[in-house]
Amino acid sequence: MAEPGADKYFTENKAYAGLGRASLHSGVIFIAARGANIFVQLASTILLARILSPHDFGLVAMVIALVGFAPMLIDLGTSEASTQKTHITQADISTLFWLNIAVALVLTVLLAGGSSAVAVFFGEPSLTGIALVLSGTFILTALSTQHYALMRRAMQFRHIAMIDISANLIGSIVSVAMALTGWGYWSLVAKPIVTAALTVVFVWMSCHWVPGRPRFSSDVKELVGFGLGVTGFTMTDYLAKSADRIAIGYFLGAGPLGYFQNAFTIYSNLLSILTEPLHNIAASSLSKLRNDADELKRSWTLALSTLNFFSAPAFAVLAVTGQDFVVLLLGQKWAPAGPLLCIFAVRGIAHCVERTMGWLHVAAGRADRWMWWGVYSAVFQLMALAAGLPFGVTGVAISYTIAMFVLFVPALVYAGRPVGIGTKDVLQAVGPQTVAALTAVAVGFVVQQEFLRELSQFMRVFLSAMVCAVAYFAVVIGVFRVTDPLRLVLSVLRDFRAVRSPVSS
């Protein structure tokens, strides 16, 4: 069913003049908005961590680790499929919408019916109610999936950012208010429910498209086929990412899992500031360049090099300051999460690069290769989990970090093969930044232990961060002469300045 203004979502998906610049501007806006969103997330986590116990966080983490795959299964990869496809119709998207709803209904019934089994599995009776309530997020996710996809296809990233920030802010406020009034772990359960409900409202208000009757066609089958390949990756990837929390919760209990979960939350928030918004923008933009291999490769190289140029020092700084950072943010009772955050942050240097492989798989239209890489990667990471689990939560964090450094270059080489990107291209794009970041971590730890141990936590964090940043840029610029990302960012900032301060005629 067409609504006024809905036609813009169904135009041909192809390159146009100024696409590269538009993508860069969208990236800056979306990353800034994502940063604001993460600030809200971290602020709420800090407040909740000071009110609630590690056991409360561990209880909710158990259920989320089991059911967090649901949004990916509900999506069935169809949002990626519709984003990259050259031609789509309103009938195609309507059919995908109702398919998402059907999958969500099945999952809701399964989780609600199996909530008691979840409690029995972990030996925590309160998980029955938690699982039952969280099953309500499935339908809410399905109601916004295709609207989000249409907005990404039309590159309406400013609107998406505002929706995400608004829903997250209100959900966080509700969660903290509930915690302050004695709701305990239910305040953690409420946040995803409230956020998902508001997201549906805001997305439907912003995207003026209303689904019609489903109509299966060859185009829909093609979209679903591509989407199933994406789902194959996201499901195996989720298994690899969540198996650690399931295993820790089962073998070590809610307390250790609470420390692990909050350290991982801080780490994953920093990771998602860049990787999640940039995936949407890069996949949309590079898909439009599918018929121009040289331009696709050039755009990919510059984008990846720039991302890594700024993400690597961020994770290096977090690795050096993580122990003090956790105590300053969450309080002394969370000190055992500090070393875990340091280990996760080292992993982030490689992980941020590895997360970009989807740019190439989607742009090349090869969801099948993305799926198979997910299988290989999941098997490897599960082996790492088995090796690290006997050594507790620290062993798990270390083993996963080693696994990521083994996988991240092969992941991009495998993704890039269909479009002519090889090992040399990947190493040239990310090698200098990775070496510089690891060097900065080593220098930062040495300086911190030798000269800064007697300082206050705040001063130690500040000075350690400065030392780490200086060491990184000294190596990446002074030794490797990597400067293109700086010039690119400066040019984009000049564009924004020109827009905000036009010269009067």
Side-chain angles (χ1 to χ4, degrees):
M1 177 178 176
E3 288 289 316
D7 290 343
K8 61 187 174 185
Y9 299 114
F10 300 94
T11 57
E12 186 174 2
N13 193 29
K14 61 182 181 180
Y16 54 83
L19 171 63
R21 216 61 182 173
S23 299
L24 285 172
H25 292 174
S26 296
V28 172
I29 292 169
F30 210 14
I31 290 171
R34 184 64 179 172
N37 214 12
I38 294 303
F39 176 80
V40 172
Q41 179 74 20
L42 284 176
S44 66
T45 299
I46 292 167
L47 293 172
L48 291 168
R50 293 179 178 274
I51 301 169
L52 305 176
S53 69
H55 187 266
D56 291 328
F57 279 88
L59 285 175
V60 179
M62 288 175 179
V63 178
I64 290 177
L66 283 176
V67 306
F69 70 90
M72 293 169 275
L73 193 57
I74 291 167
D75 185 295
L76 283 178
T78 56
S79 60
E80 296 280 8
S82 56
T83 295
Q84 62 85 40
K85 199 171 188 303
T86 304
H87 302 282
I88 58 170
T89 67
Q90 299 204 38
D92 295 338
I93 302 302
S94 293
T95 305
L96 296 180
F97 174 88
W98 293 113
L99 179 61
N100 297 150
I101 293 293
V103 174
L105 284 170
V106 172
L107 291 177
T108 299
V109 171
L110 289 176
L111 179 58
S115 56
S116 298
V118 173
V120 171
F121 176 78
F122 285 110
E124 293 281 359
S126 26
L127 295 183
T128 300
I130 295 174
L132 188 62
V133 173
L134 284 177
S135 67
T137 61
F138 298 164
I139 296 296
L140 296 172
T141 297
L143 285 170
S144 62
T145 296
Q146 290 307 317
H147 290 76
Y148 259 137
L150 290 174
M151 293 174 71
R152 287 199 300 270
R153 180 183 175 88
M155 301 191 73
Q156 294 181 327
F157 296 108
R158 188 191 300 268
H159 292 164
I160 293 173
M162 293 306 299
I163 290 169
D164 290 344
I165 291 173
S166 301
N168 186 36
L169 177 61
I170 298 172
S172 297
I173 291 172
V174 170
S175 181
V176 172
M178 290 180 64
L180 289 170
T181 53
W183 284 82
Y185 60 78
W186 285 111
S187 57
L188 298 173
V189 178
K191 182 175 180 179
I193 296 287
V194 174
T195 302
L198 290 172
T199 297
V200 172
V201 174
F202 295 153
V203 165
W204 278 64
M205 290 172 61
S206 183
C207 179
H208 299 157
W209 171 76
V210 177
R213 295 175 57 186
R215 188 184 308 162
F216 287 93
S217 65
S218 58
D219 287 337
V220 170
K221 292 178 181 178
E222 180 184 342
L223 288 166
V224 173
F226 182 93
L228 289 175
V230 175
T231 304
F233 168 77
T234 55
M235 293 300 294
T236 53
D237 184 61
Y238 182 81
L239 172 63
K241 289 194 298 184
S242 62
D244 53 1
R245 275 152 287 175
I246 294 173
I248 290 170
Y250 183 79
F251 289 106
L252 303 180
L257 178 58
Y259 294 121
F260 189 92
Q261 177 65 27
N262 263 7
F264 187 80
T265 296
I266 296 173
Y267 161 72
S268 61
N269 278 330
L270 177 58
L271 182 70
S272 68
I273 286 176
L274 297 174
T275 57
E276 289 185 11
L278 285 186
H279 172 81
N280 295 329
I281 296 167
S284 298
S285 301
L286 294 177
S287 294
K288 300 178 191 300
L289 300 172
R290 185 178 302 166
N291 297 323
D292 188 346
D294 291 339
E295 181 60 22
L296 188 153
K297 184 175 179 179
R298 189 198 67 78
S299 298
W300 168 83
T301 301
L302 184 58
L304 178 60
S305 178
T306 302
L307 166 64
N308 196 216
F309 186 89
F310 294 104
S311 67
F315 284 109
V317 167
L318 186 61
V320 175
T321 62
Q323 177 67 68
D324 291 321
F325 191 65
V326 164
V327 175
L328 285 172
L329 283 184
L330 307 183
Q332 188 61 42
K333 69 180 178 181
W334 290 95
L340 298 175
L341 179 58
C342 295
I343 298 167
F344 287 144
V346 173
R347 179 191 184 201
I349 296 169
H351 199 185
C352 196
V353 174
E354 185 264 357
R355 289 292 86 183
T356 68
M357 61 181 163
W359 300 2
L360 295 172
H361 285 302
V362 173
R366 293 301 304 270
D368 56 327
R369 292 177 63 84
W370 203 6
M371 177 186 69
W372 283 114
W373 179 260
V375 174
Y376 305 145
S377 176
V379 170
F380 192 85
Q381 291 183 76
L382 289 174
M383 292 170 60
L385 172 61
L389 192 59
F391 303 96
V393 290
T394 302
V396 172
I398 291 173
S399 63
Y400 265 50
T401 297
I402 294 171
M404 185 53 61
F405 274 91
V406 172
L407 290 172
F408 84 108
V409 171
L412 266 67
V413 173
Y414 181 78
R417 189 171 299 160
V419 292
I421 291 172
T423 304
K424 182 179 179 181
D425 300 310
V426 174
L427 292 178
Q428 286 179 339
V430 303
Q433 297 92 315
T434 303
V435 172
L438 293 175
T439 302
V441 170
V443 171
F445 273 124
V446 169
V447 171
Q448 185 183 82
Q449 293 300 312
E450 294 296 327
F451 303 105
L452 307 179
R453 295 181 64 181
E454 302 304 319
L455 298 178
S456 67
Q457 287 180 324
F458 179 81
M459 285 302 300
R460 192 161 54 239
V461 167
F462 177 76
L463 293 176
S464 297
M466 292 299 101
V467 168
C468 193
V470 169
Y472 170 80
F473 287 109
V475 174
V476 79
I477 297 176
V479 177
F480 290 108
R481 308 294 182 186
V482 178
T483 57
D484 284 347
L486 280 177
R487 285 196 291 266
L488 177 64
V489 169
L490 289 174
S491 70
V492 173
L493 292 176
R494 282 195 296 269
D495 288 348
F496 278 100
R497 184 178 179 183
V499 170
R500 291 180 177 274
S501 303
V503 178
S504 58
S505 56

